[in-house]
Amino acid sequence: MKRFFAIIESPATRTFLLGLVVLSFQTTLFNTLRPLGVVLQVMLLFSCASGVAAGSEAGAVTGFIFGLMYDMVLTAPMGLSAVVFGFAGYMAGGVNAFVHEARWWVKIIAVALSTSTAVLLYPAASLVVGVDGLLGSRIVTVALTCAAFNALLAVPAARIAKWALVKPVRQAIWAE
Amino acid sequence: MIVVLLLTSILLVTLDLRDSGFVAGVRDTFGTIFRPVERLTNVVTKPVSNAWRGVLDYGELRKENLALKDLLVKQEGTAIAAAASVREAQELLALNGLPTLAGIDSVTAQIVGQSPSNFSQTFELNRGKSSGIRVGMTVTNGAGLVGKITDATLERSVVMLATDPEYAIAVKVGNCTTPATTAPTTTVPEATTTVAETTTSAAAVPPTGIDGGTTTTLPGETTTTTSTVPPTTTTTTSTTTSTTTTTSTTTTTLPKPTTTTIKGFTPFSTTLPPRPGGVGSQITIPDTGGLVPRETGALEGRGIGRTPIIRFVQASERLGALCEGVPVVTAGGSQSLAPPDLVVGTVARVVNRKGTAGPLLEVDLAANLESLNFVRVLLYQPATEIPR
């Protein structure tokens, strides 16, 4: 029983479960709410928030896992979102390298910047693997809208990500 | 760690692009785990989604509803005529031993989900392999081509829309034999029906059309009633007191000549022999000698908000001019994704390019991909999509 609880409380399990719940919100609620016709990217939000909450490396791994889960429900090549979200998590985690205790507005800026970068990076990565036609003027609207939304929810998302990654076990597997 | 993640991504992308069974298996397994969670979340978040739609889309939906009602009335007549034409076309194709859509079974499915991505254009259907759906099958709706099946599990399948950048299909484009400005017309002559009812004397009243109206002269009367009727249905009743004769004349005048422009063939007019007691009627027959071979090309999607285009079309005098408004249908063939003569849409714009590149044609799809609900999956798996 003790072992069972240890598994449940481990950051890996928590991250997976969090990803599952966030993905279900992504494919249901946030698939319906489309301001300016843009699908808001909550999976990307939590990838960036993980970086902000637990550092670059934890952000990269969490982003990779979340991206991989996202790829499972998309028809895009598997691994594409994983690499982009992983990069976004790593980039957002970079904020911890510059400041010791990031203020709330620094977190917001970090999440917004990484989100917009990831959104712009995705069509470029698609182009590399042969998926053409995603780069267009609309990408700017998508990047700005997603960045604005993710900035809005950056602080609560960072708290949830921190709970999943570092709170229960001090020696969180990726945070060290 | 970062390098490991990067290499893993590259490996996964490579495996997926090479249609690895491992990746498909992982996707299926994850789908099985994820589906119940998604269903539960959908139930929980439904009120929020509905509230959002109610607040933002109510006015638009109301307007759209009115417009659709109007459109429906107009379309009903057209649909009946079109159904008759399709029937005739199928009979002709059958007579000539050519393949038709009539022999292909289909499954009706409802759209239950949309891609959560800003880039891919896919929908999820509530039918899958258990209904006979396989990867590569063509998806249509009442209007025309919608897309193709890209993934199928036991009870679900995914449709890639024809506007997706990864979608491509061979199509046929009708050509114009004459420039669009002098497009041939089919003229239905004005029809006039006159019914005369007389209480004391009945007489055949020969109709004479004057400026879209009708002059009616009743014999044996002291008073002549002349009425010019606009192109609507009117009833004229005249009472003559001097001869104590009451005459009721109903004059029905059909609307002005209907002109239908059908691009792609040159019709000519012929006059049929006069019918007993009536005048000869003029009908229009397509000139088969004027029919030009249809040009083939490749229709490619260009992403959200952009019309698909047709490439590899040759502009030559022999094949006739390419013009806007001509119909686009699937080309068919052993290597094609869809059976032949499936309606795709019409040419919206012709973009002429210099050199040997040939023109680009922008296509308005007949199916409205923004408001899909039920679709039809043709149980026709192209040869290229059958797994080896």
Side-chain angles (χ1 to χ4, degrees):
Chain A
M1 200 59 157
K2 198 175 174 184
R3 191 177 169 77
F4 174 75
F5 280 113
I7 292 169
I8 289 292
E9 284 191 342
S10 76
T13 314
R14 283 191 174 201
T15 305
F16 178 74
L17 292 176
L18 176 69
L20 218 55
V21 172
V22 174
L23 183 62
S24 69
F25 274 91
Q26 176 74 71
T27 56
T28 54
L29 179 67
F30 291 99
N31 204 10
T32 314
L33 319 180
R34 293 183 178 223
L36 305 171
V38 174
V39 182
L40 302 169
Q41 298 295 316
V42 269
M43 288 298 273
L44 185 56
L45 164 69
F46 276 88
S47 302
C48 300
S50 302
V52 168
S56 282
E57 206 159 307
V61 176
T62 312
F64 181 83
I65 292 168
F66 280 19
L68 209 57
M69 290 168 91
Y70 198 29
D71 279 331
M72 304 267 193
V73 297
L74 295 179
T75 51
M78 192 186 274
L80 205 62
S81 300
V83 75
V84 173
F85 286 17
F87 176 80
Y90 186 83
M91 188 180 161
V95 73
N96 296 311
F98 295 110
V99 288
H100 178 60
E101 276 287 321
R103 301 285 294 272
W104 63 270
W105 55 269
V106 179
K107 289 177 185 175
I108 286 174
I109 291 170
V111 168
L113 276 177
S114 349
T115 299
S116 50
T117 308
V119 172
L120 294 171
L121 199 64
Y122 187 87
S126 302
L127 203 62
V128 172
V129 298
V131 182
D132 199 359
L134 302 183
L135 273 170
S137 55
R138 189 174 168 272
I139 191 80
V140 181
T141 315
V142 175
L144 289 175
T145 313
C146 288
F149 172 75
N150 286 3
L152 216 65
L153 292 182
V155 175
R159 284 201 176 183
I160 296 169
K162 195 171 184 178
W163 165 82
L165 287 168
V166 290
K167 198 180 176 185
V169 186
R170 284 288 169 209
Q171 66 278 20
I173 53 170
W174 308 309
E176 289 301 309
Chain B
M1 180 62 92
I2 304 299
V3 177
V4 172
L5 293 180
L6 199 64
L7 289 175
T8 313
S9 296
I10 293 167
L11 180 71
L12 284 170
V13 169
T14 311
L15 284 173
D16 198 14
L17 289 177
R18 294 185 69 84
D19 292 328
S20 160
F22 167 73
V23 175
V26 170
R27 269 201 168 119
D28 279 352
T29 312
F30 184 80
T32 312
I33 299 167
F34 177 62
R35 201 74 65 202
V37 183
E38 189 185 33
R39 245 178 247 151
L40 184 71
T41 314
N42 195 29
V43 171
V44 174
T45 59
K46 201 80 180 170
V48 183
S49 306
N50 289 344
W52 174 271
R53 280 187 183 146
V55 170
L56 290 185
D57 301 341
Y58 180 75
E60 202 176 309
L61 277 175
R62 216 176 130 77
K63 275 184 197 166
E64 194 184 357
N65 193 24
L66 288 171
L68 284 173
K69 274 180 185 168
D70 193 32
L71 190 67
L72 187 66
V73 172
K74 287 177 189 167
Q75 291 289 328
E76 270 173 2
T78 315
I80 294 163
S85 300
V86 167
R87 171 95 186 156
E88 278 176 9
Q90 284 175 349
E91 281 172 3
L92 280 170
L93 289 167
L95 276 174
N96 289 290
L98 296 167
T100 71
L101 288 173
I104 300 169
D105 289 334
S106 63
V107 170
T108 303
Q110 190 178 13
I111 286 167
V112 290
Q114 198 178 349
S115 169
S117 165
N118 281 305
F119 301 107
S120 68
Q121 288 180 281
T122 55
F123 283 103
E124 194 172 278
L125 303 182
N126 65 345
R127 297 289 183 96
K129 282 180 180 170
S130 61
S131 304
I133 294 175
R134 297 287 181 275
V135 170
M137 286 182 170
T138 305
V139 182
T140 66
N141 70 352
L145 182 76
V146 169
K148 69 163 188 172
I149 301 288
T150 53
D151 191 22
T153 58
L154 202 62
E155 294 298 334
R156 296 287 169 105
S157 51
V158 176
V159 188
M160 177 193 282
L161 297 185
T163 48
D164 193 287
E166 287 188 76
Y167 189 87
I169 191 169
V171 290
K172 288 186 282 193
V173 187
N175 289 355
C176 301
T177 48
T178 49
T181 48
T182 56
T185 58
T186 305
T187 307
V188 181
E190 185 178 352
T192 307
T193 310
T194 305
V195 180
E197 289 174 16
T198 314
T199 50
T200 54
S201 63
V205 184
T208 313
I210 300 170
D211 296 333
T214 310
T215 306
T216 309
T217 309
L218 299 170
E221 298 226 354
T222 53
T223 308
T224 300
T225 307
T226 303
S227 58
T228 302
V229 189
T232 50
T233 304
T234 53
T235 303
T236 308
T237 307
S238 65
T239 307
T240 315
T241 50
S242 59
T243 56
T244 61
T245 301
T246 306
T247 304
S248 172
T249 304
T250 306
T251 305
T252 308
T253 305
L254 290 182
K256 286 196 170 184
T258 311
T259 301
T260 313
T261 302
I262 303 170
K263 289 174 183 174
F265 71 86
T266 311
F268 66 92
S269 299
T270 184
T271 305
L272 293 181
R275 286 173 301 180
V279 291
S281 60
Q282 192 185 46
I283 64 163
T284 304
I285 300 169
D287 178 11
T288 48
L291 286 170
V292 288
R294 286 187 288 184
E295 181 58 75
T296 54
L299 178 105
E300 293 172 3
R302 292 196 298 165
I304 298 167
R306 300 175 78 189
T307 53
I309 52 163
I310 301 175
R311 292 180 193 275
F312 312 124
V313 178
Q314 193 184 3
S316 74
E317 289 298 319
R318 186 179 63 83
L319 293 169
L322 292 161
C323 62
E324 293 166 13
V326 294
V328 179
V329 294
T330 53
S334 61
Q335 300 294 310
S336 179
L337 281 175
D341 297 322
L342 199 64
V343 175
V344 176
T346 53
V347 172
R349 199 161 74 98
V350 181
V351 183
N352 289 309
R353 295 187 293 181
K354 287 179 182 173
T356 55
L360 275 181
L361 310 179
E362 288 185 10
V363 179
D364 267 342
L365 293 177
N368 183 4
L369 303 185
E370 287 176 5
S371 58
L372 290 170
N373 188 13
F374 285 96
V375 291
R376 198 159 63 103
V377 183
L378 298 180
L379 300 181
Y380 165 93
Q381 193 172 24
T384 49
E385 301 283 340
I386 295 170
R388 290 171 190 172

